Each structure stands twice: as structure tokens, then as C-alpha cells.
Amino acid sequence: MSVQPTSPTPAAISRRGAGIAQLLLGGAACAAAALAAVAVAPLARADTVLYNSSTYESGALGTGPNQTFVSTGSSFVAPILNYLTNSSTATSDLVFITWYRGSVSNPVIFDATTGSIVYVGPAGGAFLGVQEYKGEPVLTQFAGNIILPAGYGQGTFLLRASNYSVVDSFSFVGLAANMTDMHEFVLTSDNTALLQAYNTTAADLTVVGGPSDGYVLDCVFQEVDVDTREVLFQWSTLEHIPVNDTLAVFAVSGNQSYPYDYCHMNSLEKDQAGNYLVSFRGLSAVYSISSSTGDILWKMGGADNSFTFGDGVEFYYQHHARLQSDIRSSPFNMTLFDNGMEASQEDKEAYGRGLLLSVDTTAKTVTLVTEFKPSFDTTISSQGSVQILDSGNVLVGWGADSEFSEYTIDGKLLRDAQFAEVGSSSASYRCLSSSWTGAPTTTPALALVSASSSSSTSWTAYVSWNGDTRVTTWVLADAASSATFGSANELTRVARAGFETALNLTSSSSSFAAFGLDANGTCVGASLVVTASGGAAAASTTSASCGASATTSSTKSGAAAWAGLSIPVAMGVSAAVAGAAVLLSAVGL
């Protein structure tokens, strides 16, 4: 989008349809140094962010408004946030979403405070945020295909280090390659991993109005040793739960090509007692399963509910069940996302919501602690998440309604942001918040645009670095005599302004480079050298360098960066990764 820079102060805005405000992030630019033959007028520029945009909500900007950046090229596309509320007391920092739009999806990281894009990653399925692997934080991303209409995955999980390279991958053990489902992947503190799969299995479906020689999706999960991939535990839904316990309408043929999805497992967790907490959307129930016997210890919701529900507890087609206190001490707290409906059925409730529940396994009761109600009064057809943040606030992702919200623990709305028009085909499976340090091994992207076709001295420089979280200052330098930080003739420096920062300058130089400095003033990244002549500019193949001050090497760009990733082709993810490279080759990731 074409935008003009402003310098607004973020404020709490809570009324829809108040009009469009364009927020271009970043502080005031530094004054230019007076250098011979150079006059520089820095201009901070950054992401497009909207506040209470009725145009956004009406769909006038498209059902999934997006933006591109000069430095990354037109193939690099990122969502635009529309804030409905953004209180200064909200605490979510970086927010991780899966940006679904039709058949395309990408992992995206936002700076939730400002709405700035931090990272748009390679195409794939669910983005499950940050977990710990061998003592280090990793991004967890599914790579594979989403199978419709049931909506499950067939692929593998990739673990990405802070430099975004793949350090490991996990697939369900014992099934055909590329059969891991996208709904859940958990790295536990026991050095194990939880995975799940949807396994097409023969079954008699007459009890639900289907054929006697039909097929179902048997939801299977397993716990494996991270180092050896030994299967430590495995559990099959079909072996323990009868098909007629389902609440899912029989709306498919039930044959091998279109098996009946009667359970639809969508979250897994290992509890403090070593047992498993499992959410089944199709059963509208959360189960506790013994890790020693495989027996069902209790069922919350659905058929044969083990509990008596208090007022406001009833939930339907839920997602993302998570313990919030020790299950060994009853009563304990649990959060879940209550969808209130399923796409193929009528609404069961007035609206979808996040829930904080108190569960008493002795008295067999469940009581409502807090309801996190959306700013819109509709149910949610699919997906969704609830996360209690380190601050004690609560982040709710609204799944198919492409929005995320932050609340106080007692339900006061603090932040509400859309990343697509509500009701569009855009969605995010979960929205999660975490700290994260991104240190890409690729080069920052630098582009120069001439002020006019006849000018060879007036330019606007655009610089960005997809995935980096360290750079606080960009330095633009004359690289004609030296392309090394500290030796190159510095033209100006300016505070980083969101994803892409722009600087206006007048210079007779023919070569330019950009250097990214962290909060300590250390160079952490250097762009390719951009050559300029006769009003035209183009990136060369020469890399600028941080020199001796560098803390990280930044030498790869575009397809070369992807060629260095260790992704097992045998796992069936090569097509997804190759498709992503088309997008990222233009970015210089």
C-alpha cells in the first residue's frame, strides 16, 4: 500500500468503525552528518498498520489486506494488522500466527505492541511457536499438506534455530512417510516429543448412518524419545472410543477416499503425573489418558461426561486444552478454546470464547473461573487457542475469524487486532506469544529508488532484514572505497522503523551498503553492495561486511540460503519447501 509517514502515539482504541489511521512505526530519524559532496535527509518509514478501519472490516481492502516492501520485492507479501483496541497495559510481545489465506499459508511473527512485521517464513501448515530443544529455543513449524474437507495434516515438523535453519525434524513413527498431523507437536521436559496422526482405518459405520464396510480417521498419538525416536507410548482412538460417541455429523461417503472424521484430535499435553490430556473436537470432550495402561481416566464433556458442569462451562468443538496448574492437586485450572459450533452444524452457543476452568477430580465438578468473550458476537467454525502469558494476562487466538485478543486474567479486553477481515478465508490455527531472538544467516535487503528518472544523485534507500530481532539502528554507507563497517564512509544512521526503514538521501556515490547495529552498537548484519548509475540501482554480488566487530556472519542470500537447509526429502516435504523458496528468493532471507 502507498502510505505516508506519521508519528502517532499508540493509544487505547476500542470502538469499531472509527475510521482509518495509518501508523508508520519508528521514532524520529537522526540528523545527517555533514559530509563532503553528500547531503542526507533521513526519513523513517515502516509497516502499514491500521486503527479501527471500517474500510478494512468491510472488505474494501480485500478479505485479507496485505502489504509488500520495496527492499524485498513484490513476491514477499505480509498481512496488515487492524487494531480495534491496543492498551498500553497489554503485555504480549511477539505474536506467532499461521497466516492461512485459501490454499496458501505462511508462519508470521508480529510485534504485537506496534503491529510491525518481524518475520514471514516459508510456506507450510501450522506454526506452533517457540519451544525448547536441547536447551535452546526453536521455532516449531509443520511442513506438508492440509487434507480437506476433514482439515488434518500430512507432513512433518521442522525445528528452526534462532538463525531459521532447520536443526531437526520429526515424523510419526510406524506409519508411511509424511503422515504426521499438523494439529500438535510438543517437546516435553523429559526429552521426548508428542506427535499425532490421522490414520485411515476400516470400520463399521452403520451406527452413524454409514456403510458397514466404511473407513474412519483413527486419531493416533505417540510419545517418542527425542534422541533415538524410540516409541515410548502409543494410543489409538478407535481402540478405546466407539464411533457413536461422536457429535460430528456424518456428512461424507465414509469410504477410503473420504473417511469419516469422528474424533478430530487437536491438542495433546503430558501432565505432571505423566498422563496425557487430549482434546477431541469431534467428541466435544477433553480426555485424561493413563500413560501406564492407556485407560481413559476421565472425560470432560461429550458422551458420558465424568463431571458435573457449573454455569457457563458447557463447551462444544473445542481446541487447545492446556493445564494451568498441577493436575496432582485438585482442583486445578485448565484453559481451552470453546468454538461453540462446527462448520457443518448449527451454532451450539451464542459466540466462541476462551475459557479458564477450575477442575475438581475428587468432587467431579468443573466451574467457570473466567470467560474471555470476543469483541464480535459469532461462533468460531474452526481452530483457536488460549495462552496464559508470563505477565498473567491471557492471549486468545480466534482461529477461523483471523483475530487475536489479549485480556487481563479476569477478562478485561486490553488488545484486539485483526489480520484479515472477520469471516474471510484467512485464519490462524493458533496465535501464541513468546520471546524470541531472530539472528538470520542471510543478508539484510537493501534497495535504492531514484527520486526521478533523470536524477542520479537523489535516492530513497529501503532496508529490511526478514526475521531479525536484534537490529535497532540502520547505518547507510558509501561503499565505493570500502564495504566494511567502520571503514566504509558512513552517510547516516537512523533508528530501525518496523520491518522496512526508508531514508532519503542525496549522494554522488555509485556504491552503497547498509549495516544493522544492535542495541550495543555492534554490527550484526551487512547487505549486498548496491550500485547506482544514471538514476538506476541494482544489487551486486558483492557482500558488505561487518568486519571485526561482527557477532554473526551474514553471507547467504536468496536461494543460496535455502540450499543450505538440511531438510530430508524422504519425509515428503520437498514440495512445500521448494514452493516456499519461490517466495523467499526475492527476499534475500
Side-chain angles (χ1 to χ4, degrees), residues 49-92:
V49 183
L50 304 178
Y51 275 98
N52 277 325
S53 169
S54 57
T55 308
Y56 189 109
E57 293 191 79
S58 70
L61 300 180
T63 57
N66 58 71
Q67 58 190 317
T68 58
F69 301 91
V70 177
S71 59
T72 56
S74 60
S75 296
F76 182 87
V77 181
I80 296 173
L81 283 189
N82 179 37
Y83 282 102
L84 306 175
T85 300
N86 194 21
S87 168
S88 61
T89 58
T91 60
S92 52

Side-chain angles (χ1 to χ4, degrees), residues 121-191:
F127 192 33
L128 300 186
V130 180
Q131 299 190 57
E132 186 174 303
Y133 172 76
K134 298 186 182 298
E136 298 292 334
V138 290
L139 294 179
T140 314
Q141 182 193 358
F142 175 83
N145 298 313
I146 307 300
I147 309 301
L148 299 175
Y152 64 96
Q154 289 185 345
T156 192
F157 272 97
L158 306 179
L159 307 186
R160 297 187 182 277
S162 61
N163 63 7
Y164 299 96
S165 65
V166 175
V167 294
D168 208 341
S169 57
F170 285 79
S171 290
F172 197 93
V173 179
L175 294 179
N178 200 35
M179 287 296 291
T180 307
D181 177 45
M182 44 72 65
H183 283 93
E184 191 67 279
F185 175 81
V186 178
L187 291 167
T188 77
S189 59
D190 298 325
N191 198 40

Side-chain angles (χ1 to χ4, degrees), residues 320-340:
H320 202 216
R322 284 291 188 263
L323 295 169
Q324 301 300 340
S325 59
D326 196 326
I327 198 171
R328 296 170 296 185
S329 179
S330 183
F332 55 87
N333 287 343
M334 177 192 301
T335 53
L336 60 80
F337 184 84
D338 176 17
N339 293 77

Side-chain angles (χ1 to χ4, degrees), residues 513-550:
F515 302 96
L517 311 186
D518 66 13
N520 296 319
T522 302
C523 181
V524 294
S527 72
L528 294 177
V529 172
V530 172
T531 58
S533 176
S540 70
T541 57
T542 301
S543 295
S545 170
C546 281
S549 68

